[in-house]
PDB file of all heavy atoms in Angstrom:
ATOM      1  N   LEU A 328     171.485-254.260  25.709  1.00 97.00           N
ATOM      2  CA  LEU A 328     172.841-254.265  25.395  1.00 97.00           C
ATOM      3  C   LEU A 328     173.744-254.238  26.600  1.00 97.00           C
ATOM      4  O   LEU A 328     173.530-253.379  27.472  1.00 97.00           O
ATOM      5  CB  LEU A 328     173.232-253.086  24.494  1.00 97.00           C
ATOM      6  CG  LEU A 328     173.098-253.108  22.974  1.00 97.00           C
ATOM      7  CD1 LEU A 328     173.451-251.783  22.351  1.00 97.00           C
ATOM      8  CD2 LEU A 328     173.865-254.269  22.428  1.00 97.00           C
ATOM      9  N   VAL A 329     174.672-255.178  26.708  1.00 98.00           N
ATOM     10  CA  VAL A 329     175.573-255.180  27.873  1.00 98.00           C
ATOM     11  C   VAL A 329     176.961-255.254  27.315  1.00 98.00           C
ATOM     12  O   VAL A 329     177.316-256.077  26.492  1.00 98.00           O
ATOM     13  CB  VAL A 329     175.303-256.460  28.766  1.00 98.00           C
ATOM     14  CG1 VAL A 329     176.236-256.511  29.973  1.00 98.00           C
ATOM     15  CG2 VAL A 329     173.847-256.549  29.161  1.00 98.00           C
ATOM     16  N   ASP A 330     177.848-254.409  27.831  1.00 98.00           N
ATOM     17  CA  ASP A 330     179.231-254.451  27.513  1.00 98.00           C
ATOM     18  C   ASP A 330     179.807-255.819  27.811  1.00 98.00           C
ATOM     19  O   ASP A 330     179.495-256.333  28.918  1.00 98.00           O
ATOM     20  CB  ASP A 330     180.003-253.339  28.220  1.00 98.00           C
ATOM     21  CG  ASP A 330     181.278-253.037  27.641  1.00 98.00           C
ATOM     22  OD1 ASP A 330     182.188-253.939  27.644  1.00 98.00           O
ATOM     23  OD2 ASP A 330     181.521-251.999  27.000  1.00 98.00           O
ATOM     24  N   ILE A 331     180.617-256.327  26.998  1.00 98.00           N
ATOM     25  CA  ILE A 331     181.168-257.687  27.126  1.00 98.00           C
ATOM     26  C   ILE A 331     181.976-257.743  28.497  1.00 98.00           C
ATOM     27  O   ILE A 331     181.886-258.772  29.199  1.00 98.00           O
ATOM     28  CB  ILE A 331     182.088-258.054  25.975  1.00 98.00           C
ATOM     29  CG1 ILE A 331     182.584-259.543  26.141  1.00 98.00           C
ATOM     30  CG2 ILE A 331     183.216-257.133  25.679  1.00 98.00           C
ATOM     31  CD1 ILE A 331     181.569-260.605  26.018  1.00 98.00           C
ATOM     32  N   ARG A 332     182.552-256.588  28.965  1.00 95.00           N
ATOM     33  CA  ARG A 332     183.328-256.664  30.181  1.00 95.00           C
ATOM     34  C   ARG A 332     182.424-256.775  31.410  1.00 95.00           C
ATOM     35  O   ARG A 332     182.798-257.237  32.513  1.00 95.00           O
ATOM     36  CB  ARG A 332     184.161-255.368  30.329  1.00 95.00           C
ATOM     37  CG  ARG A 332     185.401-255.388  29.398  1.00 95.00           C
ATOM     38  CD  ARG A 332     185.936-254.006  29.292  1.00 95.00           C
ATOM     39  NE  ARG A 332     184.945-252.998  28.732  1.00 95.00           N
ATOM     40  CZ  ARG A 332     184.990-251.730  28.835  1.00 95.00           C
ATOM     41  NH1 ARG A 332     185.920-251.172  29.560  1.00 95.00           N
ATOM     42  NH2 ARG A 332     184.038-251.061  28.264  1.00 95.00           N
ATOM     43  N   ASP A 333     181.128-256.397  31.258  1.00 97.00           N
ATOM     44  CA  ASP A 333     180.156-256.392  32.372  1.00 97.00           C
ATOM     45  C   ASP A 333     179.309-257.664  32.339  1.00 97.00           C
ATOM     46  O   ASP A 333     178.375-257.798  33.199  1.00 97.00           O
ATOM     47  CB  ASP A 333     179.265-255.173  32.348  1.00 97.00           C
ATOM     48  CG  ASP A 333     180.121-253.866  32.421  1.00 97.00           C
ATOM     49  OD1 ASP A 333     181.178-253.958  33.058  1.00 97.00           O
ATOM     50  OD2 ASP A 333     179.688-252.960  31.806  1.00 97.00           O
ATOM     51  N   TYR A 334     179.406-258.405  31.230  1.00 97.00           N
ATOM     52  CA  TYR A 334     178.513-259.541  31.116  1.00 97.00           C
ATOM     53  C   TYR A 334     178.927-260.749  32.029  1.00 97.00           C
ATOM     54  O   TYR A 334     180.103-261.077  32.066  1.00 97.00           O
ATOM     55  CB  TYR A 334     178.504-260.077  29.697  1.00 97.00           C
ATOM     56  CG  TYR A 334     177.351-261.013  29.343  1.00 97.00           C
ATOM     57  CD1 TYR A 334     176.213-260.482  28.809  1.00 97.00           C
ATOM     58  CD2 TYR A 334     177.415-262.330  29.619  1.00 97.00           C
ATOM     59  CE1 TYR A 334     175.101-261.338  28.568  1.00 97.00           C
ATOM     60  CE2 TYR A 334     176.371-263.165  29.380  1.00 97.00           C
ATOM     61  CZ  TYR A 334     175.220-262.654  28.827  1.00 97.00           C
ATOM     62  OH  TYR A 334     174.163-263.485  28.588  1.00 97.00           O
ATOM     63  N   PRO A 335     177.999-261.260  32.844  1.00 96.00           N
ATOM     64  CA  PRO A 335     178.332-262.205  33.875  1.00 96.00           C
ATOM     65  C   PRO A 335     178.622-263.597  33.236  1.00 96.00           C
ATOM     66  O   PRO A 335     177.894-264.056  32.273  1.00 96.00           O
ATOM     67  CB  PRO A 335     177.091-262.303  34.731  1.00 96.00           C
ATOM     68  CG  PRO A 335     175.965-261.741  33.890  1.00 96.00           C
ATOM     69  CD  PRO A 335     176.562-260.858  32.863  1.00 96.00           C
ATOM     70  N   GLY A 336     179.640-264.279  33.771  1.00 97.00           N
ATOM     71  CA  GLY A 336     179.846-265.667  33.388  1.00 97.00           C
ATOM     72  C   GLY A 336     180.522-265.933  32.096  1.00 97.00           C
ATOM     73  O   GLY A 336     180.438-267.069  31.605  1.00 97.00           O
TER      74      GLY A 336
END
Side-chain angles (χ1 to χ4, degrees):
L328 268 182
V329 182
D330 194 294
I331 183 71
R332 288 165 297 159
D333 302 329
Y334 194 92

